[in-house]
Amino acid sequence: MNPPAETAKLPPIEPMTFSTKLAYGAGDIGGAIVGILLLSYLSPFLTNVAHLRPGLAGATQLIVRVWDAFLDPVIGIMSDRGDVFGAKIKAQWGRRYPWMLFSAIPFGILFICQWLIPFPATNQWGLFGFYTLVSMLLGTFFTMYSLPYTALTAELTEDYNERTSLSSFRFTFSIGGSIFALLIAIGVFQLVKDPAQQYLTIGIICAIISVVPIFYCVWGTQARAKLVNLHQAVRIETPDSQPLLAQIRSVFTNRPFLFVVGIYLCSWFSLQLTAAIIPYFAENYMGLAKADAPKIMLAVQGTALAMLSVWNKISQKVGKKAVYFMGTGFWIIAQAGLFLLQPGQDILLYILAMMAGLGVSTAYLIPWSMLPDVIELDELETGQRREGLFYSFMVFLQKICLGVALAAILQSLEWTGYNSNTQAQLPAVLMAIRLAIGPIPTISLIGGLILAYFYPITRERHQQILLQLAERRKSDIS
């Protein structure tokens, strides 16, 4: 398909302005706030406040993540095609923005519902059904917002270094949102005494804060995305007509994509597993108060936030792979150290948390800045532009992996005799907690380093891909 005649007369794509990067970055605040709270507090809320058995709490999270995971490719492909909301809306708002606008309000309402306790603890299956249903609906609207938002990275710029810069803006807001949510949690835990009201209060406050930036992101980036899309019209307007299974096969024959997926899974599995187990580790193993768990996460996220701009600058000089190696090296030492930590070593705990933050920062920055490069290689090889499909499969595999891990950890707590009514736990429970925070994440991070070593797209290779795409675009226009 040839681009419209006016495409050749469009103004050139200038470097992104600060305001555009700011608006794009702000779009991840909601996802970060909701993500950190669900990851860090949903399991303790379900087991210690709603008094759902750990095994059922783990089953709920496994079901929800499997549901989310299989939903992701569907929404990814639908947002790639951009025709779900009709041609008129697509022409005005593009492929991604209608999804973000439609899902924002339900996303906030369902997050509040996540912290309700509709049945007494004696009705275990009623609680299980309620939290499973609410979590599935929340996950659906979260995906409808987050996947199209994430896919915008490849539509706002094609520049190798500018993508790393854009990712740094995104994750500055992401980590900042996480920190803000943790500060809210600390304040509420100290001011509100009733445990059920603590979590509901946090949910209401954070739901409101999460929804508003979505609209700001749409408003602040739409003009830039529309211009870039017009320049890419020959590609954007030719969606992949292959059957879903054929598209999936082509995605998983993209060798660099498999490396990026592996790096991402190893990093985020370690991060999310640690975040999920920290409340149990802090309270049950270290003997700390409930408000101390978010303080530990603050040490991790605060260090990660401070390092984003540093890693971004280093990456421009030495490349993405080298930065990932540097940060993950510190992170491995920290995770291994947490397993060896003893109760009473509180200062060392915070030192290890800050060391982990050095690596967590690269986990935010590097895999997501690699993925647009992979998408362009796929475009060069197939002639199709499929951001949504690639991003959805990144998240698909991550959710499956995390769901299985969380279910296994919570089930291990039940098997070893976890008691939600007391801080003191049996030695077998404490060992299960320590394994989940130490050796398991450490092994995963080592796997990520091995995959990063063999990742094939360098800065020079990416420049070749862009030149070849530019030549193809000229031939299509002519």
Side-chain angles (χ1 to χ4, degrees), residues 358-374:
L358 295 173
V360 168
S361 188
T362 63
Y364 279 102
L365 186 62
I366 300 304
W368 286 115
S369 66
M370 288 177 168
L371 187 55
D373 306 339
V374 171

Side-chain angles (χ1 to χ4, degrees), residues 29-306:
I29 292 176
I33 289 175
V34 169
I36 194 69
L37 291 176
L38 290 178
L39 189 61
S40 299
Y41 292 115
L42 183 57
S43 294
F45 168 76
L46 294 176
T47 59
N48 299 346
V49 181
H51 295 290
L52 189 64
R53 295 203 322 264
L56 288 179
T60 293
Q61 297 196 52
L62 177 59
I63 291 170
V64 169
R65 281 175 171 81
V66 170
W67 163 261
D68 284 352
F70 281 98
L71 187 67
D72 287 343
V74 176
I75 291 180
I77 291 171
M78 291 170 71
S79 74
D80 278 345
R81 292 179 175 173
D83 52 9
V84 175
F85 295 93
K88 186 177 292 187
I89 292 177
K90 176 186 175 183
Q92 180 180 356
W93 295 98
R95 298 185 296 167
R96 314 296 179 187
Y97 294 116
W99 291 90
M100 297 170 64
L101 294 171
F102 175 77
S103 60
I105 300 298
F107 166 61
I109 292 172
L110 286 162
F111 182 65
I112 295 173
C113 294
Q114 185 72 78
W115 309 102
L116 299 174
I117 306 177
F119 303 108
T122 51
N123 190 351
Q124 287 286 295
W125 289 108
L127 289 171
F128 173 79
F130 174 79
Y131 291 122
T132 301
L133 177 61
V134 169
S135 295
M136 288 174 70
L137 291 172
L138 174 61
T140 299
F141 284 99
F142 181 87
T143 299
M144 289 172 66
Y145 137 67
S146 62
L147 261 180
Y149 164 76
T150 305
L152 283 175
T153 307
E155 295 189 10
L156 291 173
T157 180
E158 292 183 332
D159 184 83
Y160 184 86
N161 287 328
E162 199 168 48
R163 281 177 175 166
T164 307
S165 175
L166 191 62
S167 294
S168 73
F169 269 78
R170 174 190 170 188
F171 291 118
T172 296
F173 278 95
S174 179
I175 298 174
S178 299
I179 290 172
F180 191 49
L182 293 170
L183 289 171
I184 291 172
I186 293 172
V188 171
F189 285 146
Q190 293 175 341
L191 294 175
V192 180
K193 301 306 178 185
D194 178 70
Q197 288 300 315
Q198 287 175 338
Y199 288 99
L200 183 58
T201 302
I202 293 169
I204 293 171
I205 295 171
C206 290
I208 296 170
I209 297 171
S210 297
V211 168
V212 174
I214 298 174
F215 296 99
Y216 170 57
C217 174
V218 172
W219 173 79
T221 62
Q222 189 192 11
R224 167 79 183 194
K226 190 171 184 179
L227 175 62
V228 174
N229 285 352
L230 286 173
H231 275 271
Q232 298 173 342
V234 67
R235 296 177 285 160
I236 295 299
E237 300 299 330
T238 55
D240 198 335
S241 58
Q242 289 182 310
L244 176 59
L245 290 178
Q247 292 191 52
I248 292 172
R249 280 196 297 270
S250 66
V251 165
F252 284 96
T253 55
N254 185 315
R255 185 168 169 267
F257 175 67
L258 298 180
F259 279 103
V260 172
V261 165
I263 294 166
Y264 175 74
L265 285 181
C266 290
S267 300
W268 279 78
F269 172 78
S270 302
L271 171 60
Q272 294 182 317
L273 182 61
T274 303
I277 205 68
I278 271 181
Y280 298 100
F281 181 78
E283 293 183 51
N284 301 121
Y285 179 70
M286 296 296 292
L288 302 174
K290 181 188 290 187
D292 286 315
K295 293 177 183 176
I296 298 167
M297 286 301 297
L298 276 175
V300 176
Q301 298 287 354
T303 305
L305 178 62

